[in-house]
Amino acid sequence: MKKVLLALTAVAAMTGSASAADLGARPYVKAPMPAPVANWTGFYVFGGGGGGLSNADQHVQTTVGAVPLTIDQRQGGSGWFGTVGAGYDWQFSGTWVAGVFADGQFGSIRATIQDPIVGITGNQKLETSWAAGVRLGWLVAPNVLSYVNGGYSGAHFGQTNFTTLGGTPAGIHLNSYNRNGWFVGGGVENSLNIFGVSSPGWFMKTEYRSAFYNAKTSNELFDGTNVLVGRDIRANSWNQTISTSLVYRFNWTGPVVAKY
């Protein structure tokens, strides 16, 4: 029996050695690639368009003495616009982003202007405007920014040509003018890396903005001669817009490549 046990032990030892030799060296497995890192710090440009609503609080007054002839009335209108701009953002504390930006708008947003004393009406057209401001946002996800903004704005309003209630020219107009004011707004900006399509640096943002422009006293003038009619219209302007823009970020960080 002792001899049998010794023989079995020897066979088992030789079998184990052969199996270990057959296995060979352990295969090398490469470490997984790190996930992309989102970095919002840097310059960007954008362009887009949208629609807007315009309201004007107005009344008619005398040219001499500024005596009110009507009570304040709010008249409204709507229209479209395009926009282009640029900015710079800083990402801090992990999920917060602050930035500065400037943009310009061009288009046709109209608000009604009326002189009920003689029954004439016209359109005050917001033709161009610009804005410069700051924004503060929070990262809902690494590539999705929700933000609020605000700042200073200027606008150019085109000439208002009056017509009678029947639609014929009244022979009276208001000259074009510029006004300054301020704005507040907010929106969401997100990467276009969706549906499996890679578009590094490209984003889309949708933004609401509300801009307020100071009141302006405009003389009613006769067409051709620009002689004073004797009545003025004093009106301010409040414009609300919603726009969607395509954004390109110049230094958007892509995947980090590990070195081995």
Side-chain angles (χ1 to χ4, degrees):
M1 177 62 70
K2 186 175 181 180
K3 292 181 179 180
V4 173
L5 292 174
L6 290 173
L8 292 174
T9 301
V11 171
M14 287 186 293
T15 302
S17 299
S19 299
D22 292 338
L23 288 175
R26 179 177 296 178
Y28 171 76
V29 179
K30 187 177 180 179
M33 294 290 290
V37 176
N39 180 10
W40 288 76
T41 298
F43 288 99
Y44 63 91
V45 294
F46 63 89
L53 300 174
S54 181
N55 292 283
D57 295 320
Q58 58 186 281
H59 69 264
V60 181
Q61 63 188 37
T62 61
T63 300
V64 179
V67 178
L69 300 176
T70 65
I71 62 174
D72 282 336
Q73 303 177 67
R74 173 163 292 185
Q75 303 290 346
S78 61
W80 61 272
F81 69 97
T83 182
V84 293
Y88 188 91
D89 283 332
W90 295 269
Q91 183 174 347
F92 63 98
S93 298
T95 57
W96 289 94
V97 176
V100 296
F101 68 94
D103 57 41
Q105 294 82 37
F106 53 91
S108 177
I109 300 179
R110 302 171 181 267
T112 300
I113 297 292
Q114 292 182 336
D115 182 349
I117 302 294
V118 292
I120 58 176
T121 184
N123 286 314
Q124 181 188 70
K125 180 181 175 183
L126 174 59
E127 297 179 339
T128 59
S129 63
W130 58 268
V134 297
R135 73 173 181 171
L136 177 65
W138 183 72
L139 293 175
V140 180
N143 62 343
V144 180
L145 176 69
S146 176
Y147 64 89
V148 294
N149 59 16
Y152 193 69
S153 180
H156 175 75
F157 297 90
Q159 179 173 305
T160 299
N161 298 308
F162 288 102
T163 60
T164 65
L165 295 179
T168 59
I172 297 174
H173 69 274
L174 306 177
N175 282 337
S176 61
Y177 63 91
N178 298 321
R179 297 308 285 168
N180 296 323
W182 55 277
F183 73 92
V184 294
V188 176
E189 183 176 332
N190 60 276
S191 169
L192 291 181
N193 288 335
I194 55 177
F195 306 123
V197 178
S198 178
S199 54
W202 289 101
F203 286 71
M204 179 180 72
K205 70 171 181 174
T206 299
E207 179 178 305
Y208 166 82
R209 187 177 295 182
S210 186
F212 303 86
Y213 298 105
N214 299 329
K216 166 72 173 178
T217 300
S218 298
N219 303 126
E220 291 187 25
L221 304 170
F222 286 110
D223 293 350
T225 62
N226 284 332
V227 173
L228 294 172
V229 172
R231 295 183 306 273
D232 297 341
I233 294 181
R234 183 167 177 80
N236 61 13
S237 182
W238 172 34
N239 296 276
Q240 301 179 77
T241 58
I242 296 179
S243 64
T244 297
S245 298
L246 191 62
V247 183
Y248 182 74
R249 294 184 164 275
F250 290 99
N251 65 333
W252 179 254
T253 303
V256 176
V257 179
K259 298 180 180 179
Y260 299 96

